[in-house]
Amino acid sequence: MTRPGTTTTLRRALRREVPSTVGLLADEDDFTAMRRYDTFAFDDHPAYLRQIEGLLKSLAGQGGHTTVALFDPEEYAQYCEDTGLDPDRPASRSRFTAELAATGARIPYTGQPMTTLVPTLIDAAVRRATWEYAALLLTDTGDCADCGQDIGRAAFDRASHLLMRLLEAAGPGTHHLVCSVPAADEQLLAVLHATRDQHGPAHLDSGAGAEFATVLAAGIAHDSPGGVVLRTTSPGARDRLHGWRLTQGTLHPLTEAEVFSAYCTDAHTGEPLPPEPHVDYRAGFPVTPEDEDWPTHH
């Protein structure tokens, strides 16, 4: 038999183990789109953000794990149409937010201010959209007409191998990699952070690594003229910048002059930019053995 007063305590303990997800309208346009629903109680976006921040602090104070998900009004309207839900009901918004917890762009709330949380969430959404588009490009490549191999899978395996070779050859330090690949509708961009000490392999987030490899693989599979740049930071040393050109499924090292030109030229105007202080612009290093080529029939 439960002692009097114990029930409330137990429920509070359980509440700390129940995760929460808060759907966030990150920008003014999305907020305005939701105002067409009579049950949406807000009419001022800054005030809405302040209320969201207060809610997040309250949930965090209860000791549970809270996730913030990007709430997209267009996706919400489509979700309600597909499921037969009335979009002008709080319960419908709650169900959609629960779906976002599993499938949408989301980040954990750790007490960060809204000025940090909102751009971080938007960045996560952009990365997820890029990943999904790059994955779609890989899926659309189909099988090789000559050998029957799944081109997308083979390209992803090769991209993963190239990434590991890059991190191995880069040595110890904190590494910041950027992969840029042109596609039919947009410029695909993936960013990856990794660290490596004097011993053992590099440490990186597995999801971010998969995103990076997928974008690189899309360039490999479609023979796009992309590129990869690497910045390495080590305590007490100058930063090192390296670069590679992606052609025919292989990363070809840029020369020191090409790396300098890439970093010290305004991409929009073509005008020269001053070099960064305490930075060495270096040629890319070999990451692919000469006898390891991407089969041309792919």
Side-chain angles (χ1 to χ4, degrees):
M1 180 176 179
T2 303
R3 295 192 304 273
T6 304
T7 299
T8 300
T9 301
L10 291 175
R11 285 177 179 171
R12 287 175 179 171
L14 284 174
R15 181 67 186 86
R16 289 194 294 270
E17 299 185 21
V18 177
S20 301
T21 302
V22 175
L24 175 65
L25 296 160
D27 64 43
E28 191 76 40
D29 290 339
D30 287 346
F31 177 83
T32 300
M34 290 300 294
R35 290 188 60 195
R36 66 178 180 266
Y37 301 119
D38 292 337
T39 57
F40 186 72
F42 298 91
D43 57 11
D44 179 76
H45 191 233
Y48 161 82
L49 291 178
R50 288 193 295 271
Q51 291 298 321
I52 288 288
E53 185 170 28
L55 173 62
L56 291 172
K57 289 180 178 179
S58 174
L59 291 171
Q62 297 174 23
H65 176 75
T66 302
T67 299
V68 184
L70 188 68
F71 195 105
D72 186 303
E74 292 185 5
E75 292 182 2
Y76 172 63
Q78 186 62 54
Y79 171 81
C80 289
E81 181 178 337
D82 293 341
T83 57
L85 294 174
D86 179 359
D88 200 3
R89 293 187 60 199
S92 300
R93 293 194 287 274
S94 178
R95 282 187 57 177
F96 177 66
T97 301
E99 291 282 337
L100 292 178
T103 62
R106 57 202 181 278
I107 59 173
Y109 176 70
T110 58
Q112 63 269 52
M114 296 301 286
T115 51
T116 299
L117 187 148
V118 171
T120 302
L121 181 59
I122 292 175
D123 179 65
V126 171
R127 285 173 46 203
R128 185 178 184 87
T130 298
W131 186 11
E132 291 175 347
Y133 181 54
L136 180 62
L137 290 177
L138 289 182
T139 303
D140 288 345
T141 55
D143 297 337
C144 176
D146 292 333
C147 68
Q149 189 175 21
D150 184 321
I151 298 174
R153 183 180 297 277
F156 183 82
D157 290 343
R158 180 169 180 80
S160 300
H161 173 69
L162 289 173
L163 174 58
M164 291 301 101
R165 290 291 300 269
L166 270 173
L167 293 174
E168 288 172 5
T174 299
H175 306 297
H176 177 82
L177 297 96
V178 179
C179 178
S180 178
V181 172
D185 299 323
E186 60 181 288
Q187 186 80 12
L188 300 180
L189 194 70
V191 178
L192 177 64
H193 299 277
T195 58
R196 185 180 175 197
D197 56 24
Q198 296 287 347
H199 309 285
H203 300 280
L204 63 152
D205 178 79
S206 58
E211 292 172 12
F212 189 95
T214 301
V215 170
L216 180 57
I220 293 173
H222 289 269
D223 196 21
S224 299
V228 172
V229 292
L230 165 68
R231 182 171 190 147
T232 298
T233 301
S234 300
R238 293 165 62 91
D239 284 8
R240 306 188 306 275
L241 297 177
H242 304 270
W244 294 263
R245 180 184 296 107
L246 176 64
T247 55
Q248 297 182 336
T250 299
L251 289 176
H252 298 277
L254 296 178
T255 66
E256 184 176 311
E258 288 173 326
V259 173
F260 182 89
S261 177
Y263 274 95
C264 299
T265 302
D266 189 298
H268 299 289
T269 66
E271 294 295 318
L273 297 173
E276 292 186 55
H278 310 296
V279 172
D280 291 333
Y281 299 86
R282 298 185 179 181
F285 41 80
V287 293
T288 306
E290 294 181 0
D291 59 350
E292 187 183 323
D293 294 326
W294 175 250
T296 56
H297 57 263
H298 279 341

